[in-house]
Amino acid sequence: MELQFKENYELGYRYFRRVLECLRAHHEFFRSAIPLVASENVPSPAVREALASDFGNRYAEGYPGERLYAGCRWIDEVELMGVELAKKVFDAPFADLRPISGVVANLAAYTALAEPGDVMVALAVPHGGHISHGKRSWNGTAGRVRGLEVVRYEFDYERFNIDVDGTRRRLEKEGGLRPKIFMLGASVFLFPHPVREVAELASEYGAAVVYDAAHVAGLIAGGVFQKPLAEGADVMTMSTHKTLAGPQHGMVVSNEKYAEPLKNVMFPPLHSNHHLHAVAGVTIALAEALAFYHQYARDIVRNAKAIAEALHEEGLSPLYEELGYTESHIVLIDVSKFMGGRDAEVKLEEAGIVLNRNLIPKDYELKTDYRNPSGIRIGVQEVTRLGMGPSEMKEIARFIARVVVRGEDPKRIRQEVAEFRKDYNKVHYAFSNLTEAYQYIEIR
Ligand code: DSN
């Protein structure tokens, strides 16, 4: 028995050490890499402090001020500040910070606004829609978990946007469909969605408009994208860690009409506890948004356009040049002249450049395997937060072209990427940035 205890201790200790080694290695990698994944960001040191706080060890079921737990005095105060800030930043009558992710925020909207079997119109995943908007046969959350019947919007490839008239015609032609929700928002989100037109179509069916702002929440907060609620959306869902650089969490804001239904599904149906350390982190991120995002959001879009232009000059093919490439943080690039999107992703990671492969419009006709699509997706929100501007976008474009266009050995570029990154290790657009962006913090 003694021997068994000793063996278990040693085995446990080996795992313990290895986890900590992996954490440290991850930090080292990101400290010296170029992070271009469009759905990520680096939060401020204050957000990281909130994540490490004791809020993360407590329970606070219910809405702030109506808790079913003791010990929530400061938790309540923080969450109520978060609600106030979210209402102000997104100009919304109602806000709820309890969804623990963007997917759960969408699930809350589906649950509050529709019943299983109801119809929802959403972008297909290959058109940029998120998996949580997906239909049952694709294992999407809306179909598989909430039992919604998901039908897709018609899509205009020329404008990379929703074709509202085409969708109207198809709904009329198919007859009998009475959508309850028109979903907007996407994971590949280059240009603002036609919210007004979709809201008009939705009103013909008495349906609600939900706008998934996960990718563009920070841009909306900074006033450079579109204002979905003012343009006719009823509910706006989001995750809180992409262009809005908070911790991984979710949020819902809405007009008055849907406040009670949303509040009622957050607890008890969808959450017991709602990750209070993350709520504190979101509240800090919203305070930073209020103070800094008018500039941050502008800088993001300026950098996205700059990197697209620079990639074009380096011989790559960023899409939608005639539309100015993008109005968001995302650029979509066809790399098929040189290699598949998967190979580009792998080789670039070897060089220390982290981004995603992505389907691009021509893949729909070619029926390309989604595992090796023709494109890559870039997001510049994180490098912008590290203080980079248009001249750094040119340097990044050159690194990418050396790997993808000129076929240089990525391992030889890795060191140069690390050198380039040395000067960009502070988080900008934050109240306090004494700790480096990817600094590993030991509190054992
Ligand atoms: N799947 C993420 C993205 O990359 O867009 C969002 O959840």
Side-chain angles (χ1 to χ4, degrees):
M1 208 55 188
E2 273 305 309
L3 189 64
Q4 186 65 48
F5 284 146
K6 190 168 176 311
E7 272 175 19
N8 283 350
Y9 177 88
E10 278 167 7
L11 183 62
Y13 189 69
R14 277 208 297 280
Y15 279 109
F16 164 79
R17 293 296 318 167
R18 185 59 195 149
V19 171
L20 293 168
E21 278 166 18
C22 287
L23 290 173
R24 200 179 277 279
H26 174 93
H27 276 251
E28 270 312 304
F29 176 69
F30 269 87
R31 211 170 67 83
S32 63
I34 299 174
L36 294 173
V37 172
S39 53
E40 299 175 352
N41 213 326
V42 59
S44 66
V47 169
R48 290 174 69 196
E49 196 169 312
L51 291 180
S53 74
D54 185 66
F55 271 32
N57 308 321
R58 303 298 148 200
Y59 264 82
E61 289 179 344
Y63 200 72
E66 307 164 14
R67 306 292 198 196
L68 299 174
Y69 269 80
C72 296
R73 179 172 159 194
W74 290 282
I75 292 168
D76 270 17
E77 185 175 340
V78 168
E79 190 166 334
L80 284 170
M81 283 191 281
V83 166
E84 280 318 303
L85 280 164
K87 284 164 42 173
K88 190 167 176 59
V89 166
F90 295 111
D91 208 2
F94 171 74
D96 200 315
L97 270 62
R98 288 176 293 174
I100 55 168
S101 71
V103 170
V104 174
N106 283 338
L107 205 43
Y110 305 153
T111 311
L113 275 54
E115 293 298 326
D118 282 343
V119 173
M120 177 170 93
V121 187
L123 271 178
V125 172
H127 296 157
H130 189 248
I131 46 171
S132 62
H133 311 169
K135 56 180 170 184
R136 185 182 178 82
S137 58
W138 288 3
N139 233 356
T141 311
R144 186 70 196 275
V145 182
R146 185 55 183 153
L148 299 183
E149 198 60 53
V150 183
V151 299
R152 64 176 175 80
Y153 287 106
E154 287 297 302
F155 195 69
D156 179 349
Y157 293 106
E158 303 280 304
R159 295 184 302 118
F160 200 77
N161 218 322
I162 292 165
D163 172 1
V164 182
D165 289 337
T167 305
R168 175 183 274 107
R169 282 196 297 276
R170 192 154 55 77
L171 287 172
E172 281 166 7
K173 198 168 130 212
E174 285 177 13
L177 291 179
R178 302 289 309 169
K180 273 285 182 60
I181 298 176
F182 283 77
M183 190 74 181
L184 293 168
S187 276
V188 184
F189 207 169
L190 301 180
F191 306 109
H193 278 168
V195 180
R196 281 183 210 286
E197 292 84 340
V198 168
E200 216 177 283
L201 177 59
S203 73
E204 294 167 22
Y205 291 93
V209 177
V210 180
Y211 185 106
D212 182 341
H215 266 274
V216 293
L219 304 180
I220 294 170
V224 303
F225 203 62
Q226 60 188 157
K227 290 189 187 307
L229 293 180
E231 291 175 24
D234 299 292
V235 175
M236 192 161 89
T237 62
M238 67 197 84
S239 55
T240 52
H241 47 267
K242 299 180 171 71
T243 51
L244 179 63
Q248 294 219 344
H249 196 72
M251 182 165 35
V252 174
V253 298
S254 79
N255 57 29
E256 248 351 311
K257 181 176 172 192
Y258 293 105
E260 277 308 308
L262 284 164
K263 222 174 128 178
N264 286 337
V265 300
M266 293 308 174
F267 173 81
L270 284 171
H271 304 89
S272 166
N273 201 19
H274 52 280
H275 302 180
L276 309 163
H277 53 325
V279 170
V282 172
T283 303
I284 290 169
L286 287 167
E288 290 168 349
L290 193 62
F292 302 107
Y293 277 32
H294 58 285
Q295 191 58 50
Y296 179 38
R298 267 163 196 74
D299 292 348
I300 289 173
V301 178
R302 178 200 58 182
N303 279 348
K305 287 176 180 287
I307 203 164
E309 198 63 58
L311 288 164
H312 179 75
E313 279 164 21
E314 294 285 344
L316 279 138
S317 307
L319 302 181
Y320 301 106
E321 181 187 1
E322 59 291 357
L323 300 176
Y325 299 109
T326 182
E327 292 302 326
S328 73
H329 58 305
I330 297 178
V331 179
L332 202 53
I333 303 139
D334 182 353
V335 292
S336 61
K337 240 191 324 184
F338 310 103
M339 60 183 74
R342 179 179 172 279
D343 285 347
E345 179 189 292
V346 170
K347 282 182 198 297
L348 287 164
E349 184 171 341
E350 276 179 53
I353 299 166
V354 192
L355 48 72
N356 294 123
R357 71 193 89 169
N358 218 99
L359 289 163
I360 58 173
K362 76 177 191 191
D363 286 324
Y364 316 137
E365 285 157 34
L366 296 173
K367 300 209 182 314
T368 318
D369 185 341
Y370 69 93
R371 283 166 293 196
N372 191 15
S374 303
I376 53 175
R377 181 187 70 164
I378 278 180
V380 297
Q381 67 293 339
E382 189 162 348
V383 287
T384 305
R385 201 154 162 81
L386 293 172
M388 297 189 196
S391 61
E392 287 79 11
M393 296 305 111
K394 283 191 179 165
E395 291 196 55
I396 295 173
R398 206 166 302 131
F399 283 131
I400 293 172
R402 283 172 62 188
V403 175
V404 177
V405 179
R406 296 192 263 291
E408 280 188 47
D409 181 358
K411 290 194 186 69
R412 285 182 39 207
I413 296 169
R414 177 73 189 97
Q415 195 47 43
E416 290 179 54
V417 165
E419 272 302 308
F420 163 77
R421 261 303 308 278
K422 275 199 173 131
D423 298 331
Y424 306 98
N425 270 313
K426 291 282 185 201
V427 175
H428 293 246
Y429 316 101
F431 287 110
S432 151
N433 69 358
L434 293 179
T435 309
E436 283 197 348
Y438 306 91
Q439 192 169 324
Y440 185 75
I441 298 165
E442 205 174 275
I443 55 170
R444 273 171 279 153

